[in-house]
Amino acid sequence: MKTYKAVIFDLDGTLVNSIEDLADAMNVVLEKRNYPAYNYETYKTFVGSGVKSLVIKSLPESNPSEREVNACLENMMEIYSTCCTNKTNPYEDVLELLEQLKSKNIKLSVLSNKEDALTKKVVAALLPNYLNPVLGLKEETLKKPNPKVALQICKTLNVKPEDVIFVGDSSADILVAKKANMLAVGVSWGFRDQQELIENGADHILNKPLDLIHIL
């Protein structure tokens, strides 16, 4: 049976439920400009490709100007950085999963499309002492499904990509796993539906965090 040496996790929608903090921050930006705000369910369809993408999807025009996007993005980042752990919590059994994986000497890392400093802030606050390296988005061209950073994590951890499981809740996570030659594992409790994960080629779908132990 195949043995895996490392797991790389997506963050939002996989390890933590952050949708309310993201939505609350973006709605403040929209309301300041007298734009329509959205509910949490709608925001689940907006997230996954970084904050800039979230801003563009939230703005009312179908093709907002770069200036408008950048102004809203800056505003959103300011607000979100102050509230990013207000309502955000690990999903049930995530801490138990990390504890079990750690006890098996599995190397654990995070790769998120959330901005790098905020990714580190959320993990340090809610999931300390389990995950290293913790990497978020530093430049737009490197966001998932670009496999470059995922492959860098393998080098840092000194593991081969084929010995790594990538766990996430969106097509970007499944595709980055495929491109990096990792086992692609989707989660059913995240911000996207299972159909998106299956259509993009997920090797497994987890219904509960601890189900990952069976794959190992």
Side-chain angles (χ1 to χ4, degrees):
M1 187 179 158
K2 170 80 179 161
T3 56
Y4 292 93
K5 295 176 180 173
V7 182
I8 302 175
F9 291 97
D10 169 52
L11 182 61
D12 302 79
T14 302
L15 294 176
V16 301
N17 187 350
S18 55
I19 202 70
E20 293 185 14
D21 285 331
L22 283 162
D24 290 352
M26 192 65 223
N27 278 340
V28 171
V29 176
L30 295 171
E31 284 158 6
K32 272 186 185 173
R33 290 167 166 76
N34 294 315
Y35 292 155
Y38 299 93
N39 62 24
Y40 296 146
E41 286 304 309
T42 304
Y43 275 107
K44 287 182 182 179
T45 68
F46 290 173
V47 297
S49 298
V51 180
K52 187 172 185 179
S53 171
L54 165 65
V55 168
I56 291 168
K57 288 173 183 171
S58 304
L59 290 174
E61 304 102 41
S62 58
N63 191 16
S65 71
E66 192 68 15
R67 188 177 167 192
E68 173 81 333
V69 170
N70 288 336
C72 291
L73 177 59
E74 192 177 329
N75 198 196
M76 162 68 178
M77 293 296 280
E78 276 171 24
I79 297 163
Y80 182 62
S81 64
T82 65
C83 76
C84 62
T85 56
N86 284 6
K87 298 180 182 176
T88 297
N89 287 297
Y91 286 102
E92 189 178 355
D93 293 336
V94 158
L95 289 169
E96 170 73 11
L97 170 66
L98 297 177
E99 198 61 54
Q100 286 198 33
L101 293 173
K102 192 176 177 183
S103 72
K104 295 176 189 295
N105 295 315
I106 304 291
K107 296 173 180 179
L108 306 175
S109 177
V110 162
L111 176 57
S112 174
N113 277 343
K114 187 198 289 289
E115 192 266 338
D116 186 60
L118 293 172
T119 298
K120 289 174 165 65
K121 183 174 180 176
V122 170
V123 171
L126 303 176
L127 306 164
N129 310 322
Y130 293 106
L131 302 138
N132 186 43
V134 173
L135 298 173
L137 191 63
K138 290 180 181 172
E139 52 184 283
E140 202 68 14
T141 56
L142 292 177
K143 76 180 176 185
K144 298 177 288 186
N146 185 331
K148 188 173 180 180
V149 182
L151 293 170
Q152 285 171 352
I153 290 172
C154 293
K155 286 183 181 168
T156 302
L157 297 178
N158 195 25
V159 291
K160 294 176 185 163
E162 57 267 31
D163 295 334
V164 177
I165 299 172
F166 199 107
V167 182
D169 73 313
S170 75
S171 58
D173 299 308
I174 302 305
L175 292 172
V176 78
K178 293 288 181 188
K179 289 182 178 186
N181 195 30
M182 299 171 182
L183 189 76
V185 174
V187 305
S188 67
W189 59 81
F191 301 154
R192 298 290 206 282
D193 60 23
Q194 289 191 48
Q195 197 55 38
E196 177 177 318
L197 304 172
I198 293 162
E199 283 171 4
N200 284 280
D203 296 305
H204 298 272
I205 304 279
L206 307 179
N207 290 315
K208 301 191 299 291
L210 292 170
D211 290 347
L212 183 61
I213 301 296
H214 305 310
I215 296 171
L216 288 161

